[in-house]
Amino acid sequence: MAASAGEAGPSFLARLVLVLLGCAFLGAAWVWSHRSEPWAARLVDDAQRTVGVPRR
C-alpha cells in the first residue's frame, strides 16, 4: 500500500537537521571526555562560560 505525501515521514531537511544535531552531540561528548587535555579544557570552559556556568 502506497503512503500519501503526508504520511511519508520526515522530509530530507528534517533528517539532515537530525543527523547534524547527532554529530554535534557526539562531538561535544567526545570533547567532554577529553577535557583533561589543555585544548579540550579550553573548549569546555568557553562553552560553560557561554551558558552561564561559573568557573571552577
Side-chain angles (χ1 to χ4, degrees):
M1 177 182 276
S4 67
E7 301 171 4
S11 67
F12 174 77
L13 182 60
R15 290 182 203 167
L16 179 63
V17 168
L18 289 174
V19 167
L20 292 175
L21 281 172
C23 290
F25 177 79
L26 289 175
W30 183 78
V31 168
W32 181 262
S33 70
H34 289 81
R35 68 186 178 274
S36 61
E37 299 177 26
W39 62 270
R42 190 170 46 253
L43 289 173
V44 170
D45 288 341
D46 290 344
Q48 286 179 333
R49 194 173 339 108
T50 300
V51 296
V53 176
R55 289 187 70 118
R56 298 180 253 141

